[in-house]
Every structure is written in C-alpha cells, then in structure tokens.
Amino acid sequence: MQKSHFFAYISRMRFIQRWALMRNTAPENVQEHSHQVAVLAHALAVIRREVFLGEAAPSAVAAAALFHDASEILTGDMPTPIKYDNPTIRSAYQDVEAVADRKLLNMLPEDLRSWYVPLLTEVDPETEVLVKAADKLSAHIKCLEELKAGNTEFREAAAQTRRALEAMALPEVDYFLEVFLDSFSLTLDELK
C-alpha cells in the first residue's frame, strides 16, 4: 500500500496566516477560516432550502467550503488587494491555484480520489456560489470582529465586504445579514 501525504498537507492549513497586510488583534489562519466558511456555507444552503424553498445540498456545500482554500497550503494566502489588482494577476493566480489543487488531488490513493475531485477541482456552480458568499461573509465577520476590538485598520475592508455581499443579490445572504449578522458585534454578555 502506497503512503500518502494528502492529510498531512491538509493539516498544515493552520500554519497559513490570513490578512497578512493588515494589523490583526486576533490572527486568523486558513484552517480556522475554512471551518467558519463551512459553517456559514451550510447555513446559507439550509436557508436556501428552508426559507426560500430552493435547491441546495447543505452537507455537500459544507464539504466544499472546508476545502475551498486547500491550494493555499502550497501557494500561501495571496492578499485580496493584490489578487484582484488586475485581470492578469488574477488569471495567473487562478492557474497557480489549479495546479496546487491538482497536486493535492494526485497525492491521494487512486481509489479515494473521486471523492475529492468535486471538492478540489470540479465544484458544482450552485455550490460554488454559496461557498463564495460564505467566504465573503466570513471576511466581513472578521472585519466586524476587528472593529469591535478597536482595530480601525479594518474599517474600509468592512465597508468593501459589505458592499460585495449586498451586490451578490442572494436572498440567503440578505436573510443572514438581517437575522444573524448584528450578533457578531455584541459582547459575550450581550449575547443573552
């Protein structure tokens, strides 16, 4: 039986720091972020199904979210202002991410690989929409938490991520913003 390094690499998500260009009161790594994105993506899928009577598979969406930044184990986290600075950089970085995803996928034993293809390389378009929304929502929540801690470094990022969430025009996101978002600005004592 051939040995595989796949899960050892996946466990290294905890060493990849996010928000590298900004001063953080609470550092965040890719593993923590991926967990939060999975929780949020699952919630958005449940909201889509239960509130708006749409089609979504919450478990599949959550699983895809857990692996949405797996390529960063090999590439590191590219800060958003750089990644989206121009189309050439964005396209080149997407190519690098695709190579990293394929490299991770090829680390798996052949008989397990088909389970991870949809998580690393061939995400369903509807799942991708919800994962991207959850990813942006996670970034916005991080900004709110930093602002709550008095870190004004995140003021513009909070405004940008909020605008991006609203521009998605997804009823699930609007519902989450209306029903759940304010709680992230409260203290523990206020969460009663």
Side-chain angles (χ1 to χ4, degrees):
M1 192 173 308
Q2 185 177 358
K3 303 283 186 191
S4 171
H5 302 307
F6 179 81
F7 291 106
Y9 268 99
I10 293 298
S11 75
R12 291 181 169 269
M13 280 197 220
R14 69 185 185 273
F15 301 130
I16 310 298
Q17 294 299 309
R18 292 178 43 81
W19 303 94
L21 295 178
M22 299 178 76
R23 182 177 52 83
N24 288 260
T25 62
E28 178 183 64
N29 65 51
V30 172
Q31 188 173 54
E32 293 164 333
H33 167 70
S34 294
H35 174 267
Q36 184 178 45
V37 172
V39 169
L40 295 169
H42 184 271
L44 293 176
V46 169
I47 292 166
R48 176 176 281 184
R49 286 178 63 97
E50 300 301 320
V51 177
F52 298 104
L53 306 177
E55 294 295 321
S59 297
V61 172
L66 283 172
F67 290 90
H68 83 283
D69 278 341
S71 66
E72 292 182 6
I73 297 161
L74 301 174
T75 67
D77 180 42
M78 174 80 69
T80 297
I82 296 168
K83 188 188 291 188
Y84 296 104
D85 184 56
N86 70 56
T88 303
I89 290 174
R90 178 64 187 141
S91 177
Y93 193 71
Q94 285 174 333
D95 292 344
V96 169
E97 288 176 319
V99 168
D101 283 336
R102 284 192 304 275
K103 182 173 180 167
L104 286 169
L105 191 60
N106 288 330
M107 288 179 189
L108 285 162
E110 187 68 37
D111 53 344
L112 301 181
R113 207 170 289 164
S114 65
W115 287 91
Y116 293 88
V117 168
L119 302 175
L120 293 171
T121 61
E122 298 174 6
V123 178
D124 165 69
E126 287 301 311
T127 296
E128 186 175 19
V129 165
L130 292 175
V131 172
K132 284 185 183 295
D135 189 35
K136 190 60 70 179
L137 190 53
S138 174
H140 186 62
I141 290 167
K142 165 67 173 169
C143 294
L144 295 179
E145 290 171 343
E146 288 289 333
L147 289 171
K148 181 172 75 174
N151 185 0
T152 58
E153 176 96 4
F154 281 79
R155 186 180 318 121
E156 183 55 31
Q160 287 176 353
T161 53
R162 179 64 185 235
R163 287 190 301 271
L165 286 164
E166 291 169 354
M168 288 179 174
L170 292 172
E172 306 82 5
V173 170
D174 296 339
Y175 181 96
F176 191 96
L177 295 175
E178 179 65 30
V179 174
F180 298 108
L181 190 66
D182 290 346
S183 297
F184 288 92
S185 296
L186 300 176
T187 67
L188 180 59
D189 291 332
E190 293 170 324
L191 290 173
K192 292 181 182 179

